[in-house]
Amino acid sequence: MKERTRRGKLIVFEGTDGTGKSTQLKLLHSLLEKRGLPVVATREPTDGTYGQQIRNLYVNRHRYSREEELELFLADRREHVREFLTPNLDEGKIILCDRYYFSTAAYQGALGLDPETILQQNDFAPEPDLVLLFQAPLPVSIDRITTGRGDTLNKFEQREFLEKVAAIFAAIDRPNICRIDASGSIEEVHRQVITAVAALLSLHSTALFSLN
Ligand code: ADP
Ligand code: MG
């Protein structure tokens, strides 16, 4: 790991489906861009070969064991670290990443694997400077998925499963985690995100807010 030499910042967006991660990532991305900061956005699973295989799992899960799924997530992340995260951190970029290894721990953990072991298996991946952990009551996030996004719940999104996922997220204790109360309006959540990011970047949050 290049923890000592890296100059950029890695900000990851974590939490169960429908908590508003992707919405907030976009808002933060355009805000930081407007401020002229060197920001890039990415997501996991990625759009690479392994990432595409993982996205197919949403339709065809039964073809893989949870161990095989975990291997795919780790392979996708190794590629992401090598080809995107490390080079961008070395260039001093602020990376906004939609899901990271906490999601692997929570989702594969909810399938019965040990979350702590999964976190340890990810020690090849750069530690985030800030983990924005989005938390909202399950009925709120499920309603956003079904009503807001107009989707039906896929197999990773069934209620009991999501309860387990949320419980694992809630129990994860790692440095740099900032818990975001994602139950409020988009604007309210955005303010919490800005406050956390301003602190990380040593900016006054008013400077980020006021020039909107
Ligand atoms: P996630 O990426 O965490 O799954 P999304 O950002 O895709 O969540 O949001 C899911 C749906 O909920 C979208 O339709 C989005 O417009 C809506 N949404 C996001 N944040 C809020 C919020 N704070 N209040 C109400 N609706 C929201
Ligand atoms: Mg999303």
Side-chain angles (χ1 to χ4, degrees):
M1 262 191 279
K2 299 186 176 177
E3 298 296 327
R4 256 171 262 115
T5 57
R6 87 181 209 230
R7 290 174 292 134
K9 298 284 184 209
L10 177 59
I11 302 174
V12 302
F13 290 62
E14 294 281 21
T16 51
D17 306 85
T19 47
K21 299 178 299 298
S22 303
T23 303
Q24 294 296 331
L25 190 150
K26 271 191 218 124
L27 285 176
L28 180 65
H29 186 241
S30 57
L31 181 65
L32 296 182
E33 252 182 354
K34 270 194 235 158
R35 300 293 175 273
L37 293 165
V39 61
V40 290
T42 185
R43 65 172 184 173
E44 291 191 357
T46 68
D47 297 317
T49 324
Y50 298 112
Q52 283 171 27
Q53 284 184 54
I54 294 169
R55 287 179 197 285
N56 286 336
L57 297 177
Y58 301 155
V59 210
N60 253 331
R61 279 205 49 209
H62 55 277
R63 284 174 41 208
Y64 293 86
S65 70
R66 58 195 184 187
E67 287 79 10
E68 287 169 327
E69 286 184 5
L70 176 61
E71 282 311 315
L72 276 180
F73 278 100
L74 293 175
D76 183 44
R77 185 160 303 117
R78 280 199 189 86
E79 191 175 84
H80 197 205
V81 169
R82 190 178 62 242
E83 293 181 8
F84 188 89
L85 298 180
T86 303
N88 277 289
L89 286 173
D90 287 348
E91 284 176 26
K93 299 278 169 53
I94 300 166
I95 303 176
L96 310 183
C97 186
D98 199 338
R99 294 195 179 282
Y100 201 44
Y101 53 68
F102 300 90
S103 283
T104 315
Y107 282 78
Q108 301 303 304
L111 291 174
L113 299 180
D114 177 45
E116 272 304 320
T117 308
I118 295 173
L119 290 177
Q120 284 161 22
Q121 287 172 307
N122 277 279
D123 67 358
F124 64 89
E127 203 178 299
D129 298 279
L130 178 63
V131 182
L132 297 169
L133 180 48
F134 286 67
Q135 295 180 306
L138 215 50
V140 172
S141 53
I142 288 180
D143 184 60
R144 285 184 194 162
I145 298 169
T146 50
T147 316
R149 236 163 45 187
D151 286 350
T152 51
L153 298 183
N154 70 36
K155 287 188 181 167
F156 279 115
E157 293 172 338
Q158 299 299 325
R159 189 188 175 91
E160 274 173 34
F161 184 72
L162 286 182
E163 264 166 13
K164 286 190 198 162
V165 174
I168 297 173
F169 271 128
I172 291 177
D173 184 17
R174 277 289 193 282
N176 306 327
I177 290 187
C178 174
R179 292 176 199 273
I180 301 286
D181 173 5
S183 61
S185 69
I186 290 178
E187 185 59 34
E188 283 164 356
V189 180
H190 186 47
R191 283 174 186 280
Q192 294 177 59
V193 169
I194 289 177
T195 303
V197 170
L200 174 72
L201 302 179
S202 305
L203 298 169
H204 284 292
S205 54
T206 44
L208 280 181
F209 279 120
S210 61
L211 295 169
N212 261 330

